[in-house]
Amino acid sequence: MPRVRFAPSPTGYLHIGSARTFIFNWLYARKNNGTMILRLDDTDIERNTQVSIDSIFDGLKWLGLSWDEYYRQSERLDLHKEMAERILAAGFAYRDFTPAQTEEEKQEDSGPWLFHPGMRELTSEESDARAAAGEPFVLRFRVPRGENKAVKFKDSVFGDQYKKADEIEDFALLRSNGMPTYHMASCADDVDLKIDHIIRGQDHLTNTFKHVLIFEALGGVKPKFAHLPLLIAPDGAKLSKRKHGPVVSVTTYRDAGFLPQAYINFLCLLGWSPKNNREQMSRQELIDAFTFGGVNRSNAVVNFSEADPIDPKAQWLNGQHLRTVGLEELLPMVRARIEAEGLAIPEERFGLIVETIRARYTSLHDFAVKGRPYFADDFAMEEAAGERLDEPEARPLLRELGARVEGSAEFTEASVEKILRDLSAERDVKPGVLINGSRAALTGQAVGPSAFHLFMAMGRERSVARLKGV
RNA sequence: GGCGCUAUCGUCUAGUGGUUAGGACGGGGCCCUCUCAAGGCCCAGGCAGGAGUUCAAUUCUCCUUAGCGCUACCA
């Protein structure tokens, strides 16, 4: 049974790239009856914020993504330090007493930096003595040198990877303040939590060689790896809040009226393909279809622009889900939107209204904005709709239609249609005048659902009132 | 600079030596029709460049170019 983890560092809102990484971990876990672990990599106390943690939970909750175990790295520091000590004791690490370098000093060094001279060779007696004397040091991994050793691992997405150990620098495990670095903390936790498949962004691909070294030093079983292509902006740069704004935050899509399953669907299609031309897929279909073989190796562009901040394909997918999802699932989401606008829901016709208008909308937001006439009486009369009402004879005829609908025994699509067509024949006007006029009167919009559907969605009382009020 | 990864329509992608290079979004058009959507049909649009290997390269190899990543006592 696989154990996988999503390990965000809470230094900002939930990034869509992070959300996608969670989703791929989750798909893999759910497909293989595995365990999904949420681990907050919050060792960078300077940059961690509660706001960020809340944002991560908010985003995941909205997407309906669940996990089975939860940890915070900041509560596991003793474990990290203990494992670092173990690596030191086993001779795979050494203390580096070189004072921290400034930026300028680093710049001066041309060529690759591998280690500080003299530090690898310190005897354990001298090292212990200087440490005991309180001299600050960084604990570094003693990367094998001059042995022509290759570090290798198999990536489920990128295939076999290897790198000469001689090209890997002696990276830090423990900082001079005793705190573990990301590499140390992450690997220690992965070992302790028995993670057996690490699924993360491709930005970690080259870090993995270091991690393999740590795993080997720790003597544990080396996990498998799967690196995911990165999400980038149309300009090729990686998505960043500073540069690209709210398009990188998951909550933006929630607020824009996305269905969570549609957004998950969209994110999955960025860098992964079921290879059978399927596009619209439910959560379960995604779980069933997921394999690492379907993961692409090149970065995927999230296609947004200043004018259109939402990727058109995401928008389309949302529309697809919107019109095919079961009403029992959709109604609560629409309800929340409508009520957030302070509008009243005609309970007896709610389902009918949503059925009537959903095919025309692409976001939940549309129900409260474009759909306002269905839930409120104070809606705007669009110019094009006004023109329909200004057709010769239109207003008096519509008022008459209202009176007849009010007085008729039946109120069904068929009965309204009969009344309307009889009236148009009687007065010798084209039915279109009344049909389009009704739509304009009922919704203030020149375009929309079939007029007779509209009567049913609006109900008799509201329809009559609006017709008589033209 | 060094090391690594990547490169198919504008975008997301299918494709692992022989295909009219397929699908989707977006764009254009037609049909349907009480309008608008939805739906159906059609059109335009692509293998980064150059060498090689081969009877045959989008596909394999190399080079170039471009993008991205890593190169911290950040994660």
Side-chain angles (χ1 to χ4, degrees), chain A residues 130-145:
Chain A
R130 287 170 72 169
E135 189 175 344
F137 64 87
V138 169
L139 190 71
R140 290 188 185 280
F141 196 93
R142 189 192 300 277
V143 178
R145 309 222 170 266

Side-chain angles (χ1 to χ4, degrees), chain A residues 258-266 269 278-283 285-286 313-327 329-330 333 358 361-362:
Chain A
F258 269 83
L259 260 42
Q261 59 266 54
Y263 199 64
I264 288 174
N265 192 171
F266 170 66
L269 259 21
R278 286 290 310 274
E279 302 276 345
Q280 189 197 340
M281 299 174 80
S282 68
R283 284 188 180 88
E285 286 171 326
L286 288 165
K313 190 150 190 175
Q315 197 82 65
W316 171 78
L317 264 175
N318 200 41
Q320 292 298 308
H321 279 90
L322 203 58
R323 60 186 63 97
T324 54
V325 69
L327 226 43
E329 201 177 337
L330 181 60
M333 294 192 268
R358 76 205 294 207
Y361 295 169
T362 56

Side-chain angles (χ1 to χ4, degrees), chain A residues 328-345:
Chain A
E328 70 289 349
E329 201 177 337
L330 181 60
L331 257 22
M333 294 192 268
V334 176
R335 176 181 297 278
R337 287 284 160 154
I338 300 300
E339 289 177 348
E341 284 297 308
L343 304 178
I345 290 174

Side-chain angles (χ1 to χ4, degrees), chain A residues 94 96-101 109 113-121 140 170:
Chain A
Y94 64 92
D96 180 351
F97 295 96
T98 311
Q101 283 186 295
D109 294 333
W113 176 87
L114 292 173
F115 55 86
H116 290 127
M119 292 297 155
R120 282 170 67 100
E121 297 79 16
R140 290 188 185 280
D170 287 353

Side-chain angles (χ1 to χ4, degrees), chain A residues 248-312:
Chain A
V248 302
S249 174
V250 167
T251 51
T252 300
Y253 299 87
R254 177 194 65 193
D255 300 342
F258 269 83
L259 260 42
Q261 59 266 54
Y263 199 64
I264 288 174
N265 192 171
F266 170 66
L267 250 20
C268 286
L269 259 21
L270 251 23
W272 174 82
S273 162
K275 295 181 187 282
N276 58 182
N277 288 342
R278 286 290 310 274
E279 302 276 345
Q280 189 197 340
M281 299 174 80
S282 68
R283 284 188 180 88
Q284 191 57 48
E285 286 171 326
L286 288 165
I287 290 170
D288 293 339
F290 183 77
T291 62
F292 287 119
V295 179
N296 220 42
R297 282 189 277 265
S298 50
N299 294 344
V301 172
V302 179
N303 197 11
F304 62 86
S305 64
E306 196 106 3
D308 189 4
I310 306 287
D311 189 311

Side-chain angles (χ1 to χ4, degrees), chain A residues 149-153 159-165 167 209:
Chain A
K149 182 186 159 74
V151 182
K152 22 186 151 163
F153 66 93
D160 290 322
Q161 304 291 315
Y162 88 96
K163 186 169 190 167
K164 296 187 184 104
E167 288 170 352
F209 295 105

